[in-house]
Amino acid sequence: MRISTVLLVAIFGVATSAAAHAQDKNKGKADFSPQELKAKVDYCKTCHGLSGQGFRGSYPMPRLAGQQPEYLVNQLDAFIERRRNNPVMFNVAHVLNPQMEKALADQFKDLDPKPLGGAPRDNVAEGKKIYQEGIPKSDIPPCASCHGDDAKGRDAFPRLAGQLHDYIYRKLTNWDKERGQDKAKPDSSAIMQPIAHSLNDAQIKAVAAYLSYLE
Ligand code: HEC
Ligand code: HEC
């Protein structure tokens, strides 16, 4: 647990400076109506599913339902600042102001649809073991130590419960090409980098399958 304590201190520093930054940007008053917020949420749902449960199109659109608001806002900012690389979400996010980001995050937090499912079930038990115990011989800490026993996340640590298995697979196999892309602005993605790297393909599939069925 010593390693993750160091990492937690690191993320706490990141989260605090992000919060200070958000406060700075937040000085203006909310400048949208409830109707505008609803229209925006409906727009997000065209890709992320009517209950925020995620959707499989030509690629997997992640579940947003029940996501931690702090994590969700961090990711929107990461897309805008191109710390996280995704052209679709850059286009969606760069028009949002901080109050709208926060309001959107609060809307998705309260949704609780059933997981979309669809993963093979034969490696779910192996995935559960990895999630709860980590892989000591590869220096991989228990996922639960950061993402929570129930995988619901906390603050800047994302919820993983019910997330699409194919989305999780793509993120963990592509971490270095998508996250932490601005070397001058290291962010909370650095905490996951060594973990994503150390997991092999079969381990990623197993843990992704396990998580995708959690409610
Ligand atoms: C045109 C489709 C589309 C629309 C509309 C859209 N998204 Fe996305 N969103 C995506 C895709 C695709 C990804 C996955 C990006 C990736 O693979 O990294 C994503 C990822 C995200 C993520 C990161 C999730 C995670 O678990 O890290 C957040 C947060 C997000 N979207 C929020 C929103 C919000 C809020 C809206 C509405 C304002 C919205 N999206 C509208 C397609 C869309
Ligand atoms: C030391 C803390 C820590 C541990 C242990 C940890 N994670 Fe993470 N994880 C994070 C943080 C922080 C993020 C958010 C990264 C960001 O802000 O870009 C994250 C993000 C993720 C994401 C991306 C979620 C999304 O919606 O895009 C996945 C998938 C993930 N972790 C899976 C795992 C798995 C599987 C394990 C165990 C093998 C694990 N994590 C262990 C801290 C941790």
Side-chain angles (χ1 to χ4, degrees), residues 140-151:
I140 297 174
C143 319
S145 66
C146 289
H147 293 280
D149 286 333
D150 54 5

Side-chain angles (χ1 to χ4, degrees), residues 21 30 37 70 84 96 105 114 121 136 138 156 175 210:
H21 181 57
L37 174 58
E70 183 177 330
R84 178 170 171 179
L96 305 173
K114 292 265 181 261
R121 296 222 182 229
S138 313
W175 200 267
Y210 167 66

Side-chain angles (χ1 to χ4, degrees), residues 84 166-175 178-179 196:
R84 178 170 171 179
D166 36 359
Y167 168 78
I168 295 178
Y169 179 82
R170 287 166 71 116
K171 295 311 99 183
L172 293 180
T173 51
N174 231 3
W175 200 267
E178 295 179 357
R179 307 271 186 140

Side-chain angles (χ1 to χ4, degrees), residues 47 55-62 86-89 164 166-167 170:
C47 285
F55 177 76
R56 292 197 170 89
S58 37
Y59 34 76
M61 321 277 174
N86 186 268
V88 175
M89 275 308 299
L164 275 61
D166 36 359
Y167 168 78
R170 287 166 71 116

Side-chain angles (χ1 to χ4, degrees), residues 113-211:
K114 292 265 181 261
L116 214 56
R121 296 222 182 229
D122 50 350
N123 52 6
V124 164
E126 186 201 340
K128 179 175 184 181
K129 190 168 157 61
I130 294 173
Y131 188 82
Q132 291 178 339
E133 297 168 22
I135 308 173
K137 70 172 169 11
S138 313
D139 275 337
I140 297 174
C143 319
S145 66
C146 289
H147 293 280
D149 286 333
D150 54 5
K152 298 221 164 101
R154 191 171 57 89
D155 306 332
F157 297 94
R159 174 189 173 121
L160 301 173
Q163 188 53 276
L164 275 61
H165 68 97
D166 36 359
Y167 168 78
I168 295 178
Y169 179 82
R170 287 166 71 116
K171 295 311 99 183
L172 293 180
T173 51
N174 231 3
W175 200 267
D176 290 347
K177 298 198 188 85
E178 295 179 357
R179 307 271 186 140
Q181 298 302 298
D182 185 350
K183 298 299 169 227
K185 266 196 170 182
D187 62 14
S188 42
S189 69
I191 295 173
M192 260 310 288
Q193 196 273 343
I195 298 168
H197 248 233
S198 305
L199 290 164
N200 69 30
D201 209 66
Q203 291 160 345
I204 292 177
K205 284 190 173 133
V207 77
Y210 167 66
L211 290 166

